[in-house]
């Protein structure tokens, strides 16, 4: 849908920057959802979208989710996101030059927004952006002086979310013998799989990348693979979406044979009504921004606040376990969806700093 006054009002954020990168014909969209509590921070997503409207929708939703993540993490950072709408593939040199120009855009924002990696970008890309965008860059490689990939704290956060969800569903957070299905074995999914195997969980996974699937089956012979089109029919305790967003809708929710959903993917619900659909089906849904905040929280704490890595990962797990439990208890006692219960907590935390100023 094209951008409109209604959409901007619904977003409730501060500023949407649009920039045409003439050299690559890419469109850079920077959504600064909130920068009053502290500077906005959030990853740079770079990909080919079906159309520009989808890219705009993504930057608005994702920047809003970052505000919620930092509120749930109890950190004085705001929400932001960059989406780069690619019109063609870029070769290595073009990509590098693009990132150098992006660093200059960051400089022009004078610290109102800090970037990090996201889908389609890596810590190596952050190293390049840093050359011109210093210091407004998170998650550079360890070699370059950064904290490295955000996938590690993200995966540990999802793991904490799975344990809390099992505690609520089955009365114990022990994962031994539990069946967990991971959709998407990328950066986060692979780390999560290894953590779960250490806990003797039974892991089923899917991925669309055949080479990756072959490698994983060789590396971890106890795990089971199912083709991607079987994703919503898997009988399991926990479904962990770790590929991409908008996978839950009226059709897929009807098919699901899981008891809980806890995954890293951003914006898993296709529309707000899906939260109610899950509740009706008796599936316990861990709100995505609550259980995938580990990357943002962990990296920001390490790099901006000097928290040691191990302590930061522990803090991520503690924050997610405690707040997710609060969400589940509130949703049960008020007979609302977990999304509604999470939103109430987020709003309360934001109002502490900014009464009625930010729309989530
Ligand atoms: P990634 O790009 O490394 O991994 C995604 C994986 O999903 C790839 O292996 C890909 O082949 C697979 N995939 C794509 N479409 C699929 C489909 N239809 N069915 C099954 N598999 C499919 O991404 P990463 O970093 O692991 O992130 C995963 C998700 O978590 C993304 O949605 C990301 O936005 C979100 N997230 C990641 C964070 C991080 O720190 N990496 C932080 C917060 C959220
Ligand atoms: N891009 C990730 C997210 O969506 C993680 C991240 C954010 C990493 C900000 C560093 C800084 O949460």
């Amino acid at each position: 849908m094209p951008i409109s006054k209604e959409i901007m009002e619904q977003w409730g954020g501060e500023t949407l920057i649009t920039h045409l990168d003439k050299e690559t014909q890419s469109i850079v969209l920077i959504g600064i959802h909130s920068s009053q509590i502290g500077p906005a921070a959030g990853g740079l997503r770079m990909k080919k979208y079906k159309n520009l409207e989808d890219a705009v929708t993504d930057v608005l939703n994702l920047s809003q989710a970052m505000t919620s993540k930092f509120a749930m993490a109890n950190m004085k950072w705001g929400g932001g996101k960059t989406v780069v709408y690619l019109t063609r593939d870029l070769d290595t040199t073009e990509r590098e030059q693009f990132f150098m120009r992006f660093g200059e855009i960051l400089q022009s924002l004078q610290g109102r927004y800090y970037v990090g990696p996201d889908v389609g970008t890596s810590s190596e890309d952050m190293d390049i952006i840093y050359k011109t965008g210093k210091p407004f860059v998170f998650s550079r490689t360890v070699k370059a002086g950064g904290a490295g990939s955000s996938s590690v704290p993200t995966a540990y956060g999802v793991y904490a979310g799975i344990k809390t969800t099992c505690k609520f569903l089955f009365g114990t957070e022990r994962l031994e013998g539990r069946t967990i299905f991971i959709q998407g074995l990328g950066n986060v999914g692979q780390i999560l799989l290894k953590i779960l195997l250490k806990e003797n969980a039974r892991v089923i996974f899917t991925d669309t990348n055949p080479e990756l699937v072959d490698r994983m089956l060789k590396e971890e012979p106890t795990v089971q693979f199912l083709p991607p089109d079987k994703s919503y029919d898997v009988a399991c305790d926990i479904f962990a979406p770790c590929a991409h967003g908008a996978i839950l809708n009226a059709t897929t929710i009807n098919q699901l044979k899981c008891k809980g959903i806890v995954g890293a993917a951003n914006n898993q619900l296709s529309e707000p009504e899906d939260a109610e659909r899950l509740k009706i089906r008796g599936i316990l849904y861990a709100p995505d921004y609550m259980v995938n905040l580990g990357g943002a929280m962990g990296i920001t704490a390490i790099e901006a606040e000097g928290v040691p890595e191990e302590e930061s990962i522990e803090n991520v797990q503690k924050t997610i376990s405690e707040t997710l439990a609060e969400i589940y208890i509130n949703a049960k006692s008020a007979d609302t969806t977990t999304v509604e219960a999470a939103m109430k907590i987020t709003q309360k935390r934001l109002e502490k700093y900014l009464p009625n100023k930010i729309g989530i």
Side-chain angles (χ1 to χ4, degrees):
M1 75 188 90
I3 195 91
S4 67
K5 179 171 161 285
E6 285 70 30
I7 287 175
M8 293 302 285
E9 272 170 0
Q10 205 185 341
W11 177 50
E14 294 170 11
T15 310
L16 175 65
I17 297 161
T18 58
H19 169 83
L20 172 68
D21 183 65
K22 292 196 187 76
E23 289 83 347
T24 59
Q25 289 295 299
S26 316
I27 298 173
V28 180
L29 303 163
I30 304 176
I32 299 182
H33 186 258
S34 63
S35 66
Q36 299 149 60
I37 298 169
L44 190 165
R45 181 167 291 202
M46 190 167 187
K47 65 176 212 175
K48 282 191 192 158
Y49 283 83
K50 250 191 263 151
N51 51 53
L52 187 55
E53 282 73 28
D54 284 1
V56 173
T57 303
D58 228 13
V59 79
L60 298 183
N61 290 340
L62 291 164
S63 60
Q64 189 181 43
M66 290 309 301
T67 295
S68 301
K69 288 186 203 189
F70 285 116
M72 288 308 212
N74 273 316
M75 293 181 96
K76 289 198 167 181
W77 286 81
K81 200 87 181 186
T82 301
V83 159
V84 177
Y85 175 84
L86 287 176
T87 50
R88 60 178 173 83
D89 291 325
L90 308 182
D91 66 31
T92 312
T93 313
E94 279 181 315
R95 205 177 145 91
E96 211 173 298
Q97 286 168 351
F98 168 81
F99 285 136
M100 298 288 279
R101 291 191 291 277
F102 180 77
E104 285 163 16
I105 300 178
L106 272 186
Q107 284 296 345
S108 74
L109 295 174
Q110 299 183 324
R112 216 178 131 204
Y113 167 65
Y114 282 62
V115 77
D118 200 75
V119 174
T121 57
S122 62
S123 291
E124 283 73 18
D125 296 329
M126 296 305 117
D127 290 351
I128 302 169
I129 297 174
Y130 192 78
K131 288 182 188 166
T132 48
K134 182 182 171 181
F136 312 117
V137 185
F138 281 126
S139 222
R140 284 178 297 137
T141 60
V142 174
K143 206 169 70 190
S149 165
S150 59
S151 308
V152 180
T154 302
Y156 274 96
V158 174
Y159 163 60
I162 291 176
K163 284 199 298 185
T164 305
T165 305
C166 285
K167 176 95 203 266
F168 211 77
L169 284 170
F170 313 114
T172 171
E173 59 174 42
R174 286 195 59 200
L175 298 181
E176 193 169 359
R178 292 262 164 254
T179 304
I180 294 156
F181 169 61
I182 307 177
Q183 180 187 48
L185 224 56
N187 296 316
V188 178
Q190 284 182 38
I191 301 168
L192 180 63
L193 176 134
K194 307 248 176 205
I195 301 171
L196 295 173
L197 288 180
K198 265 199 204 147
E199 300 278 315
N200 294 321
R202 178 175 167 243
V203 180
I204 309 174
F205 80 97
T206 191
D207 202 286
T208 43
N209 177 344
E211 285 127 51
L212 193 151
V213 171
D214 285 349
R215 182 167 62 76
M216 283 323 296
L217 289 173
K218 275 191 198 118
E219 239 174 83
E220 299 293 352
T222 60
V223 301
Q224 186 189 345
F225 166 76
L226 283 175
D229 63 351
K230 295 274 181 287
S231 280
Y232 307 101
D233 298 317
V234 186
C236 57
D237 293 309
I238 302 290
F239 169 32
C242 296
H244 51 77
I247 48 135
L248 298 169
N249 57 46
T251 311
T252 58
I253 291 171
N254 227 4
Q255 285 171 264
L256 290 174
K257 295 185 184 70
C258 61
K259 301 186 182 76
I261 301 177
V262 188
N266 280 306
N267 302 336
Q268 293 166 24
L269 306 184
S270 301
E271 50 178 0
E273 291 76 15
D274 294 325
E276 187 61 32
R277 291 187 179 113
L278 287 164
K279 180 172 177 283
I280 291 167
R281 286 234 35 224
I283 295 171
L284 191 58
Y285 173 65
D288 42 29
Y289 68 83
M290 182 64 240
V291 286
N292 73 10
L293 61 75
M297 179 183 175
I299 296 291
T300 314
I302 297 168
E303 293 188 356
E305 293 169 10
V307 178
E309 187 181 347
E310 240 174 77
E311 191 181 322
S312 167
I313 291 178
E314 266 169 35
N315 291 343
V316 162
Q317 296 190 83
K318 189 166 181 282
T319 299
I320 292 176
S321 298
E322 287 176 358
T323 316
L324 187 61
E326 193 181 337
I327 291 169
Y328 288 159
I329 290 165
N330 292 358
K332 194 174 178 193
S333 66
D335 193 25
T336 58
T337 67
T338 51
V339 171
E340 178 75 30
M343 206 180 327
K344 284 211 173 115
I345 298 174
T346 312
Q347 258 156 0
K348 223 195 234 156
R349 293 192 181 178
L350 287 171
E351 277 163 18
K352 211 167 63 184
Y353 301 108
L354 302 162
N356 307 322
K357 275 198 183 152
I358 297 175
I360 50 158

